[in-house]
Amino acid sequence: MMVRTTNCTGQKGDMKPTTLKLLHQQSVSKREWQNLFWDVHHVCSWDDHGGEKLYDALRGLILSFISECQQRVLGHQDDAALLRSYISEWVKFFAQCQYLPKPYMMLGTRNNKSGPGGSVAPAGSTQERPKDGMLVEKLMLDLWNESIFSTIKGRLQDSAMKLVHSERSGEAFDTQLVIGVRESYVNLSSDADDRLKIYRDNFENSYLTATRAFYKGQASQYLAENGVRNYMNYAAEKLREEDQRAMRYLETSKESHSLHKV
C-alpha cells in the first residue's frame, strides 16, 4: 500500500506495515493502531480520490495475503491435513475480519463513496452499498470466497464427506475437521439477507447428497441379506444415528432448515 499521508504535524505515515501486521496477526502497538485510524481519516477527508486509492491498495494487500494462505493449504495432499490447514488459515483470517475493518471504517460511510474497484457511486445512484463501516469486512469475505474458497471448495467438501463416510462405516476421526469446515461455510457469506447461502449451496448440499448415496447402497444390501424385520430395526437405528450426526455436522441455527432435510 503505497498511499502515504501527511498529518497536521507535517509527519508522514505509511499504512502498509500496520495493515500487514494486522493481517498476519502480529502485535500492533497502541500508537500504530491509533495512527492507522488517523491516516485513513486524513486521506479520505483531504483527498477527493483518497478513498478509492485506499480501497484499491487495501484490496491488493488482502489478495496477496490470501494467496499466501492458499499456497500453504494446497501444499497438503492428505484429506485430514488439507482440512486442518484450511480451518487454521480461515479461523485466523476470519478473526481479522473483525479487527482490520475498524481503522478503515470511513471507507464504508455514506460520506465517502469509494467502492469496489475504486468506483464512485454517482449522485442519486440506487447502487446497493454495504452498511456504514461494513465495506472492508465485505471486501475481505468476498475476496476469500472468490479466490481460495472457490478454488478448493470441491476438495474441501469431498474431504469432509469422506470423513463422514468413514464415521458411518465405523471408523473414528477428528470430528472438529468437519465441524470447522461447516463453520467456515456459515461465516463466509457477506450477504446480510441470506448469510447461509454459501453453506446451503455447498456444504449442506454435499452432505445430503453423500447421505443419500451411502444409504442407497447400504439399505438395499442389508434388506436382501437380513430380511424385512431386521431391516426395520436397522432403519430405525440408522435414523437415530443420522439425527445425532446431523446435529453435530449441520447448521442448527434458527435460520437453517438443514435438520428437516435429513
Side-chain angles (χ1 to χ4, degrees):
M1 183 178 296
M2 299 307 294
V3 176
R4 299 186 67 82
T5 63
T6 304
N7 61 30
C8 58
T9 63
Q11 298 174 324
K12 292 185 177 180
D14 185 355
M15 288 169 270
K16 181 177 179 179
T18 304
T19 301
L20 287 175
K21 283 185 177 181
L22 291 171
L23 282 170
H24 288 87
Q25 290 193 318
Q26 297 174 353
S27 177
V28 173
S29 69
K30 183 177 180 180
R31 182 175 181 179
E32 289 174 318
W33 178 248
Q34 292 175 339
N35 284 345
L36 187 55
F37 277 85
W38 164 250
D39 290 339
V40 172
H41 174 80
H42 187 90
V43 169
C44 292
S45 299
W46 293 96
D47 186 337
D48 289 340
H49 299 286
E52 300 169 32
K53 297 173 184 177
L54 275 182
Y55 184 93
D56 288 342
L58 181 61
R59 186 178 189 279
L61 286 182
I62 296 171
L63 270 176
S64 178
F65 175 79
I66 292 175
S67 178
E68 296 173 10
C69 296
Q70 183 171 340
Q71 291 177 16
R72 289 192 290 269
V73 173
L74 292 179
H76 300 280
Q77 299 301 319
D78 176 72
D79 289 337
L82 175 75
L83 294 179
R84 192 172 288 109
S85 177
Y86 177 82
I87 292 169
S88 174
E89 297 291 349
W90 163 254
V91 167
K92 290 184 288 187
F93 182 80
F94 185 63
Q96 294 314 105
C97 288
Q98 318 306 312
Y99 292 101
L100 184 60
K102 293 183 183 297
Y104 288 95
M105 189 172 294
M106 195 169 182
L107 293 181
T109 61
R110 293 185 180 88
N111 292 329
N112 186 69
K113 298 181 180 179
S114 60
S119 62
V120 177
S125 171
T126 58
Q127 179 181 339
E128 187 174 333
R129 291 178 47 77
K131 295 179 180 179
D132 283 4
M134 299 295 290
L135 184 65
V136 174
E137 180 180 352
K138 183 180 188 306
L139 172 66
M140 294 178 73
L141 293 175
D142 287 348
L143 289 178
W144 185 276
N145 184 14
E146 294 165 7
S147 51
I148 181 172
F149 178 75
S150 294
T151 300
I152 69 169
K153 66 179 180 180
R155 286 187 63 188
L156 289 176
Q157 289 157 199
D158 289 347
S159 297
M161 293 311 113
K162 285 179 183 177
L163 294 180
V164 176
H165 184 280
S166 297
E167 183 182 75
R168 289 186 173 121
S169 301
E171 301 177 28
F173 73 97
D174 184 358
T175 58
Q176 283 302 128
L177 294 179
V178 178
I179 294 172
V181 171
R182 190 274 318 285
E183 290 177 345
S184 75
Y185 279 53
V186 170
N187 292 321
L188 183 56
S189 178
S190 63
D191 185 350
D193 296 325
D194 188 3
R195 74 179 190 87
L196 295 180
K197 178 174 174 55
I198 291 176
Y199 157 79
R200 189 173 57 251
D201 291 349
N202 295 277
F203 187 91
E204 180 192 272
N205 184 59
S206 292
Y207 186 93
L208 296 176
T209 299
T211 301
R212 286 191 293 267
F214 181 84
Y215 285 106
K216 183 178 181 180
Q218 291 283 325
S220 58
Q221 180 180 349
Y222 192 93
L223 177 61
E225 294 176 355
N226 298 280
V228 175
R229 180 172 295 184
N230 288 331
Y231 173 78
M232 296 301 292
N233 293 330
Y234 165 84
E237 178 185 354
K238 292 304 175 182
L239 284 172
R240 287 192 294 270
E241 287 183 9
E242 288 304 323
D243 284 343
Q244 295 173 355
R245 189 169 287 116
M247 288 290 294
R248 185 160 58 246
Y249 297 135
L250 295 179
E251 176 64 13
T252 59
S253 62
K254 63 181 181 179
E255 299 95 336
S256 174
H257 303 289
S258 296
L259 298 183
H260 302 296
K261 299 177 183 179
V262 176

